[in-house]
Amino acid sequence: MAFSKWLKLPETKEIKSIDDVSTTELHGSIILKKQFLKRIYLENYQQFIQSIGENYLSKKIVELGSGGGFIKDIIPNAITSDVIELPQVEMCFSALEMPFENNSVDAFVMIDVLHHINDSEAFFVEALRCLKPGGKIVMIEPANTLWGGFIYRNFHHEPFNSKGGWGFESTGPMSSANGAIPWILFIRDRKLFNEKFPQYQINIIKHHTPFRYLISGGVSMRQLLPSYFYGLVKGFEIMLTPFNRGLGMFMTVEIEKMR
């Protein structure tokens, strides 16, 4: 009990609601301070660049659920957005009703956002409207692997229901979620997704990061190893790459609008 209390970051102990603006701002400061977590975000942003292509600086890129992230430090032309008004975010709107013209967006990028959207089908309909032909949705989401599913079901505060549907009742932008939604859509129900959205092509489903996020402590727990161990842990994860379908805690999904 004492150890679990020690694990909790002191600055998070007074959080009253995860849906408060102040909580998101606190999470942003934690991401920048914790080197394990910050470097994971940096690698996520580099994944976005890799998916979008070398000419990403000339494209219209919209980050959904920007929250406390720092994408503009890496992709300065990205338009930041969130469903709640935040001082550091440029636009406020729901991913189910976006203020963009038809065929006008080159890419939507998102980190841990899809599983907070309460109507996945409606989101993909809306994204399809906004994306240019050849435009992409690139997301990094929880993975329902043997290891990842075990961690999320037993040690994470968000619901993780692999038997659920494509949506859930929304109670708040951050407090309502189903971490299994990405697995449901792109693995369990992939055939159904393809039937509903023949205009989309799923280019990439990649499982990764079995240990670094846990070691980082996320935005609520202490980092478990000194920052100089990051490269060693990443190297160990690279060695385990062939086993990521069973070990990865996250999945990168790249979807392209074909027409």
Side-chain angles (χ1 to χ4, degrees), residues 3-216:
F3 180 68
S4 63
K5 285 185 176 180
W6 176 84
L7 274 178
K8 189 82 172 174
L9 282 173
E11 55 265 48
T12 66
K13 291 179 180 178
E14 302 303 318
I15 290 176
K16 292 182 173 59
S17 171
I18 197 170
D19 293 317
D20 285 350
V21 170
S22 60
T23 303
T24 299
E25 293 177 333
L26 173 61
H27 288 169
S29 66
I30 291 170
I31 290 167
L32 292 175
K33 285 193 297 185
K34 297 174 74 174
Q35 287 304 302
F36 259 74
L37 193 54
K38 182 179 179 180
R39 290 179 71 172
I40 290 169
Y41 268 77
L42 285 169
E43 291 184 20
N44 290 342
Y45 297 146
Q46 289 300 322
Q47 174 63 61
F48 294 157
I49 291 172
Q50 181 180 334
S51 291
I52 296 166
E54 292 182 356
N55 59 342
Y56 68 95
L57 289 173
S58 64
K59 293 190 173 182
K60 185 172 183 177
I61 301 168
V62 179
E63 184 184 34
L64 300 176
S66 299
F70 56 97
I71 192 172
K72 290 187 81 70
D73 291 351
I74 312 302
I75 308 176
N77 56 307
I79 300 168
T80 55
S81 73
D82 209 288
V83 71
I84 57 176
E85 291 191 11
L86 297 164
Q88 72 275 18
V89 170
E90 296 169 290
M91 301 182 72
C92 178
F93 57 82
S94 166
L96 304 182
E97 190 175 352
M98 297 190 280
F100 303 110
E101 296 180 359
N102 296 352
N103 306 305
S104 64
V105 176
D106 291 291
F108 289 110
V109 298
M110 47 217 282
I111 299 174
D112 286 334
V113 172
L114 180 65
H115 69 276
H116 286 285
I117 297 174
N118 68 308
D119 189 338
S120 298
E121 184 171 355
F123 163 67
F124 283 105
V125 169
E126 178 67 350
L128 190 65
R129 178 190 69 79
C130 298
L131 282 171
K132 297 177 182 177
K136 294 179 178 179
I137 305 169
V138 190
M139 64 192 82
I140 294 158
E141 292 285 331
N144 186 26
T145 60
L146 288 174
W147 173 243
F150 170 76
I151 294 296
Y152 291 123
R153 280 190 292 269
N154 294 284
F155 301 102
H156 197 53
H157 68 278
E158 294 176 353
F160 196 89
N161 178 16
S162 59
K163 295 181 180 179
W166 288 29
F168 48 85
E169 184 178 353
S170 179
T171 57
M174 292 300 295
S175 57
S176 57
N178 179 6
I181 286 281
W183 176 83
I184 290 169
L185 292 174
F186 307 124
I187 296 180
R188 190 194 77 182
D189 294 350
R190 181 166 180 173
K191 182 179 179 182
L192 179 59
F193 183 89
N194 291 337
E195 290 172 355
K196 284 180 176 287
F197 296 105
Q199 308 96 323
Y200 283 131
Q201 176 175 290
I202 301 174
N203 292 336
I204 294 172
I205 298 178
K206 180 175 70 176
H207 298 81
H208 55 87
T209 319
F211 303 119
R212 277 176 292 157
Y213 186 81
L214 281 178
I215 292 170
S216 79

Side-chain angles (χ1 to χ4, degrees), residues 230-241:
Y230 185 88
L232 183 64
V233 177
K234 182 179 177 181
F236 180 62
E237 286 188 337
I238 290 171
M239 291 174 60
L240 294 174
T241 297

